[in-house]
Amino acid sequence: MFQPGTSKQGKNYQDQHLLFDFEHTSAYVDLREIILTRKEHELLALLVENAGEIVPREVLLERIWGYGKDIRTRTLDVHIRRLRKKLFPFGDTYIETIFGVGYRFQRYREPRSYVNYVPELVAV
Amino acid sequence: MFQPGTSKQGKNYQDQHLLFDFEHTSAYVDLREIILTRKEHELLALLVENAGEIVPREVLLERIWGYGKDIRTRTLDVHIRRLRKKLFPFGDTYIETIFGVGYRFQRYREPRSYVNYVPELVAV
DNA sequence: CACACCTTTTACAAAAGATTTACAAACTTC
DNA sequence: GAAGTTTGTAAATCTTTTGTAAAAGGTGTG
């Protein structure tokens, strides 16, 4: 058993809304427990491990499914969807889609604006 | 996979306003993250690689699109425009047009004061 | 300053990729 | 081995990216 604070180093991920356990298939979104299936857990684990970094489709498909680059499938996308659903209402906040590349888990942070804001230019 | 700040040896370009990652499709203009599409990223990468040097249209069209000298297209110009927009407000500072030849990426340097009057820019 | 030529900008259409839903096959568990 | 759960796939739909055309704006030169 363990006490709060004495968790083994690096076994859990935690932020304001999500508690993720790398060893077990349960997690918490705020105070709600969510049960992840094995694949979902593996997938989220890999993304959380690389929080803030883009993980390319190829890598996910290779590491979790053992698929090579030649295999074309939507399986990953469907699993991402299932994960996002369980992470409600933060699904899209936590799991970002990088179009044409892969996905990225983002540590929770207060919503920011201006991220990709490209204003029109006007001279005065 | 990449986080701002954790640059891996020599994989990034950085100056006062721009952080560009050669491996991934994100970049930072000051503290704003910009997401580049694949083509935009390839294009900027090629220009940044040759910072300070003119890269002829032909070379860009050849290396990024595989187009031969015979092909007449405005595609490159449109992509340059999209890039400049995302690099706001430094689009024209970073990407210079070399009339009749191509484009050149210029490392950021302080504007010279008062020499040339440039009207205020305002976002609407 | 007129002309040819080049670039920028806008708008739109086509192509590529992601999301969503539904369903069937493959596993688990009892 | 029946019932419930998990996983993979197909297909329709939606979104984003990319390419092209055309109009407008610049540049350079005789």
Side-chain angles (χ1 to χ4, degrees):
Chain A
M1 296 314 238
F2 66 95
Q3 299 169 314
T6 61
S7 79
K8 295 168 197 168
Q9 268 307 338
K11 297 282 182 183
N12 289 340
Y13 165 90
Q14 185 158 21
D15 67 23
Q16 196 170 343
H17 293 291
L18 176 66
L19 171 58
F20 177 78
D21 183 341
F22 281 95
E23 295 187 317
H24 305 100
T25 56
S26 56
Y28 290 83
V29 173
D30 289 338
L31 289 182
R32 179 179 92 249
E33 180 178 23
I34 60 177
I35 306 290
L36 302 174
T37 69
R38 250 174 323 184
K39 276 276 182 323
E40 284 163 5
H41 183 258
E42 285 181 62
L43 179 52
L44 187 51
L46 190 41
L47 290 170
V48 170
E49 248 172 40
N50 296 284
E53 302 176 24
I54 295 167
V55 185
R57 297 180 66 85
E58 297 173 3
V59 172
L60 294 165
L61 284 169
E62 210 291 318
R63 298 274 297 277
I64 294 175
W65 280 271
Y67 290 175
K69 299 190 179 185
D70 43 320
I71 298 184
R72 182 164 305 121
T73 176
R74 292 274 126 223
T75 299
L76 168 59
D77 307 66
V78 174
H79 276 268
I80 288 287
R81 165 155 165 75
R82 289 168 181 157
L83 258 182
R84 279 176 170 154
K85 220 168 174 180
K86 292 194 177 175
L87 293 174
F88 180 86
F90 305 108
D92 295 324
T93 312
Y94 279 122
I95 303 180
E96 217 177 322
T97 301
I98 311 299
F99 196 96
V101 182
Y103 294 94
R104 172 166 57 181
F105 178 89
Q106 288 283 31
R107 213 183 171 74
Y108 187 85
R109 50 207 164 155
E110 290 308 326
R112 39 175 191 160
S113 32
Y114 303 116
V115 169
N116 222 347
Y117 176 55
V118 180
E120 292 293 320
L121 287 180
V122 168
V124 288
Chain B
M1 295 178 237
F2 157 83
Q3 296 170 307
T6 60
S7 86
K8 293 167 190 170
Q9 66 298 347
K11 299 280 183 182
N12 291 339
Y13 164 90
Q14 185 158 22
D15 67 23
Q16 195 170 344
H17 293 291
L18 176 66
L19 171 58
F20 177 76
D21 183 343
F22 281 96
E23 293 188 318
H24 305 101
T25 57
S26 55
Y28 292 80
V29 173
D30 289 337
L31 287 182
R32 179 179 92 247
E33 179 178 26
I34 60 177
I35 304 289
L36 302 174
T37 69
R38 264 175 309 187
K39 276 276 179 331
E40 284 163 2
H41 182 259
E42 286 180 61
L43 179 52
L44 187 52
L46 190 41
L47 289 171
V48 170
E49 247 172 40
N50 296 284
E53 298 173 26
I54 297 170
V55 185
R57 299 180 64 86
E58 297 172 3
V59 172
L60 293 165
L61 284 168
E62 210 292 317
R63 297 273 299 277
I64 294 174
W65 281 271
Y67 290 175
K69 301 192 178 185
D70 43 320
I71 298 184
R72 182 163 305 121
T73 176
R74 290 279 123 220
T75 299
L76 168 59
D77 308 67
V78 174
H79 276 268
I80 289 286
R81 164 154 165 76
R82 288 169 181 157
L83 257 182
R84 281 177 170 154
K85 218 168 172 179
K86 290 194 178 175
L87 293 174
F88 178 86
F90 307 107
D92 295 323
T93 312
Y94 280 122
I95 302 179
E96 219 176 321
T97 301
I98 311 300
F99 194 92
V101 183
Y103 295 93
R104 173 166 55 185
F105 178 89
Q106 288 284 30
R107 215 184 168 72
Y108 187 86
R109 43 205 170 161
E110 286 306 328
R112 294 180 292 161
S113 42
Y114 303 115
V115 174
N116 297 309
Y117 173 67
V118 176
E120 291 280 331
L121 290 177
V122 166
V124 288

